[in-house]
Amino acid sequence: MSNNIDSKKVIILGGGPNRIGQGIEFDYCCCHAAYALKEEGFKSIMVNCNPETVSTDYDTSDSLYFEPLTIEDIFNIIEVEKPFGVIVQFGGQTPLNLAMRLRHLGVNILGTSADSIDIAEDRKRFQQMLKNLGLLQPENGTAFTFEEARDVARRVGYPVLVRPSYVLGGRAMEIVYEEKTLEKFIIEAAKVSGEHPVLIDKFLEDALEVDVDLVGDGTTFVIGGILEHIEEAGIHSGDSAMVLPTYTLTAGMLKKIREATYKMAEKLHVIGLMNVQYAIKDDKLYVLEVNPRASRTVPFVSKAIGVPLAKLATKVMLGRTLKGLQFTSEIIPLHVAVKESVFPFSRFPGVDVILGPEMKSTGEVMGIDKDFGRAFLKSQIAAGQKLPKKGNVFISVCDKDKHAVVPTAKKIVELGFTIYATSGTAVVLQKNNINVKVLPKIAEGRPNILDLMKDGKIQLVINTPSGRIPRQDETQIRSQVVTYTIPYTTTISGAQATVNGIEILMKKKLEVCSLQEYQENSKSKKKK
């Protein structure tokens, strides 16, 4: 790089084309970075190649390079513009993957150092950091071949989560329950992973997942929000419904989460944003991954707490302090905000709606109210799930969920609904004194569940998968709910929240307030 640096120019690397796994959330962060640079007297230069986003609008940044996010194109722009520095934190995984190569070319990476980014991204360095800090992570290993993967899986025990390194949106990630299916998924993951190893983690079944967003200036670190996933671990964080503040975590567990987050932020010397994903099982806290960048939850958290985290992160990258910016303590809102994902299933007739570790959502909505039930209900309405007030509910769940669904089924009957179920689920419900109408399996006779859905006689479907490779009946049922726009849920935790939402819909009237009113109420009560 030339030494003739323009100290008032900063390049922001965008996320490139919108695709599943990387989308508008990162564009929001890039736009806020441009606004913050302007406020601080810097010229913003946006590098992105998507005509459909706000970051490429003519009035968002001072200059726009409509170019691919490749090392060659970016370095050519840097040689022409000679900026003070480059921001890689706001475009998701794409620019983050370029950080080390840019650093080796002598580029000034603003914010968290390229070395700290590498610690979080490199499996062995990350493991060592967690060990030094006394933090747990699921047992894991790496592999390039099926034989290596088989040895790791045998050591850590099934089920295992198989995932490529350095990918977007959980691409080619799979939960594998047995050795005979491992080979197929290893081959798929290896194709995506390229020269990097495939990562294999012990999958924590029935664990609760938590996302944490934090902003730091290198010495002061503040949690923006702790988000509790409504679905259990195993569903990609981009597809999960989440709630802020948390609604089932104990004070002791929240203390553990905060302490672990601050330890890692300090060790990585975070300047800007950091996202951590945790799993909680048997009262133990496991670190799943750490991303020293903006996460897709940053816009949601920012709106929920009323603080523009991406703007603050940009300003600390330029040398400002969080103390100087008057953001020094976590804000826990008095209202409840629920993030729900929006899926494109209605555009793809016949597709299976089951969720897993590979991201499928194409957007998200926020439901906000004074309590969890009403906030969740609003999020479902906004996401296009028109919850019923009466009618029939079909329940068919896998063996491990049969007893867990009983309390939800009882509540459904109490609310005046009739339950239909397949024989396996029906037996368990009947043993618990729940009235059920038994339906034959699809191949066994008619009328079956497909007939009832077609005739408009089913108003809600609760169907959890029996494994990674689903049975044909399940796939037909789940694809039909999309065809007939029937509300559905594919997890037990989602079913519980959905039924609670229906109860509120039947008993309480929903009210509407602006986002600003909720934020103002929280601030005014805290002042008192």
Side-chain angles (χ1 to χ4, degrees):
M1 269 185 74
S2 164
N3 292 324
N4 188 20
I5 290 170
D6 189 329
S7 62
K8 281 294 176 182
K9 284 183 181 178
V10 171
I11 287 178
I12 304 162
L13 300 185
N18 273 11
R19 59 269 205 215
I20 290 175
Q22 181 141 341
I24 203 70
E25 305 95 338
F26 298 117
D27 201 63
Y28 164 99
C29 294
C30 289
C31 292
H32 275 242
Y35 305 150
L37 287 169
K38 189 173 183 180
E39 288 172 13
E40 296 298 303
F42 283 78
K43 183 182 176 187
S44 60
I45 301 163
M46 191 73 65
V47 180
N48 208 354
C49 52
N50 189 341
E52 296 297 323
T53 56
V54 183
S55 70
T56 55
D57 280 1
Y58 72 96
D59 57 350
T60 297
S61 55
D62 294 297
S63 300
L64 168 67
Y65 282 86
F66 202 83
E67 299 291 342
L69 273 296
T70 67
I71 198 79
E72 294 84 2
D73 291 281
I74 292 164
F75 196 66
N76 287 342
I77 295 164
I78 290 167
E79 286 194 308
V80 170
E81 293 287 355
K82 301 176 179 61
F84 163 64
V86 176
I87 295 175
V88 299
Q89 286 188 24
F90 296 141
Q93 195 66 35
T94 302
L96 204 71
N97 288 349
L98 302 170
M100 282 300 281
R101 290 171 72 190
L102 288 171
R103 187 74 198 91
H104 289 149
L105 290 168
V107 176
N108 179 26
I109 304 290
L110 296 181
T112 305
S113 72
D115 187 57
S116 288
I117 291 170
D118 191 59
I119 291 171
E121 295 286 328
D122 183 276
R123 176 54 66 102
K124 285 180 181 169
R125 297 186 76 191
F126 183 59
Q127 269 183 339
Q128 191 58 50
M129 182 190 82
L130 294 184
K131 193 177 175 183
N132 293 343
L133 295 174
L135 300 175
L136 295 175
Q137 72 174 145
E139 281 196 77
N140 59 74
T142 60
F144 285 95
T145 65
F146 166 63
E147 288 73 23
E148 290 173 356
R150 183 187 59 201
D151 292 343
V152 173
R154 284 177 180 175
R155 175 173 59 82
V156 305
Y158 288 93
V160 292
L161 181 67
V162 176
R163 55 184 172 144
S165 308
Y166 302 96
V167 294
L168 307 174
R171 188 172 156 225
M173 279 172 69
E174 297 288 351
I175 298 166
V176 180
Y177 288 86
E178 57 199 358
E179 198 164 287
K180 68 181 181 183
T181 56
L182 179 65
E183 187 169 12
K184 172 180 178 280
F185 296 134
I186 283 291
I187 290 166
E188 286 177 17
K191 281 180 193 170
V192 175
S193 212
E195 73 220 33
H196 300 292
V198 175
L199 312 177
I200 299 159
D201 298 85
K202 170 72 178 168
F203 175 62
L204 303 172
E205 284 193 288
D206 303 318
L208 177 69
E209 205 162 326
V210 174
D211 259 71
V212 182
D213 284 316
L214 169 141
V215 63
D217 61 15
T219 53
T220 302
F221 308 100
V222 182
I223 287 174
I226 300 175
L227 297 126
E228 181 178 342
H229 291 217
I230 293 168
E231 290 88 1
E232 56 272 340
I235 291 171
H236 193 279
S237 61
D239 288 351
S240 293
M242 299 184 195
V243 57
L244 175 73
T246 60
Y247 75 115
T248 68
L249 296 184
T250 63
M253 183 52 70
L254 285 168
K255 186 170 182 274
K256 279 186 195 175
I257 289 168
R258 290 186 176 103
E259 285 173 355
T261 305
Y262 289 130
K263 270 185 188 178
M264 289 186 285
E266 200 169 315
K267 187 71 178 173
L268 293 169
H269 196 66
V270 169
I271 300 171
L273 291 166
M274 179 181 87
N275 170 262
V276 189
Q277 289 171 25
Y278 295 103
I280 298 165
K281 185 167 183 176
D282 301 328
D283 207 38
K284 287 182 180 174
L285 182 69
Y286 296 88
V287 181
L288 298 181
E289 61 178 273
V290 174
N291 293 303
R293 59 165 169 82
S295 71
R296 60 179 54 79
T297 49
V298 163
F300 172 82
V301 172
S302 298
K303 289 173 188 290
I305 67 171
V307 175
L309 296 176
K311 257 191 178 184
L312 293 184
T314 306
K315 292 184 179 187
V316 299
M317 287 182 212
L318 300 172
R320 297 283 298 276
T321 65
L322 288 174
K323 196 173 180 181
L325 294 165
Q326 297 183 317
F327 185 61
T328 54
S329 61
E330 181 185 348
I331 294 172
I332 300 168
L334 299 174
H335 51 266
V336 177
V338 173
K339 178 197 87 108
E340 182 56 286
S341 299
V342 177
F343 298 93
F345 300 135
S346 60
R347 306 291 177 96
F348 304 100
V351 74
D352 192 354
V353 300
I354 196 67
L355 301 178
E358 187 164 4
M359 189 171 162
K360 295 180 180 178
S361 63
T362 50
E364 61 186 46
V365 293
M366 175 192 271
I368 188 167
D369 213 304
K370 294 167 188 170
D371 58 54
F372 172 72
R374 281 184 277 200
F376 181 80
L377 175 59
K378 285 181 177 178
S379 75
Q380 298 310 292
I381 293 167
Q385 290 257 52
K386 295 180 175 63
L387 299 183
K389 291 184 181 179
K390 60 182 180 179
N392 304 316
V393 178
F394 174 71
I395 303 177
S396 177
V397 296
C398 64
D399 289 343
K400 76 179 182 68
D401 291 335
K402 283 183 169 57
H403 290 287
V405 83
V406 168
T408 301
K410 283 183 176 173
K411 174 80 79 171
I412 288 167
V413 173
E414 284 169 17
L415 293 173
F417 289 83
T418 299
I419 293 179
Y420 285 83
T422 45
S423 54
T425 303
V427 166
V428 176
L429 297 182
Q430 286 165 342
K431 279 182 181 174
N432 286 275
N433 303 315
I434 298 169
N435 290 328
V436 182
K437 292 189 177 182
V438 184
L439 287 173
K441 289 184 177 174
I442 293 167
E444 292 175 350
R446 306 182 75 169
N448 56 44
I449 181 58
L450 299 184
D451 298 317
L452 266 62
M453 286 199 280
K454 192 174 182 179
D455 293 342
K457 291 178 180 174
I458 297 294
Q459 280 66 50
L460 174 67
V461 170
I462 298 170
N463 177 222
T464 66
S466 57
R468 174 58 190 87
I469 299 173
R471 297 185 186 122
Q472 192 178 2
D473 280 19
E474 292 176 12
T475 309
Q476 284 183 275
I477 291 164
R478 291 195 293 262
S479 61
Q480 197 122 319
V481 296
V482 175
T483 304
Y484 298 113
T485 60
I486 300 166
Y488 63 91
T489 179
T490 59
T491 65
I492 292 297
S493 48
Q496 290 165 346
T498 299
V499 173
N500 288 342
I502 289 170
E503 184 178 22
I504 284 163
L505 187 64
M506 293 170 70
K507 295 180 179 177
K508 295 180 183 177
K509 189 179 175 185
L510 289 178
E511 296 175 345
V512 177
C513 283
S514 71
L515 196 59
Q516 289 80 2
E517 285 176 276
Y518 282 114
Q519 291 166 356
E520 201 52 50
N521 286 341
S522 285
K523 284 174 188 171
S524 61
K525 283 183 182 174
K526 278 192 169 67
K527 282 174 188 171
K528 290 176 186 176

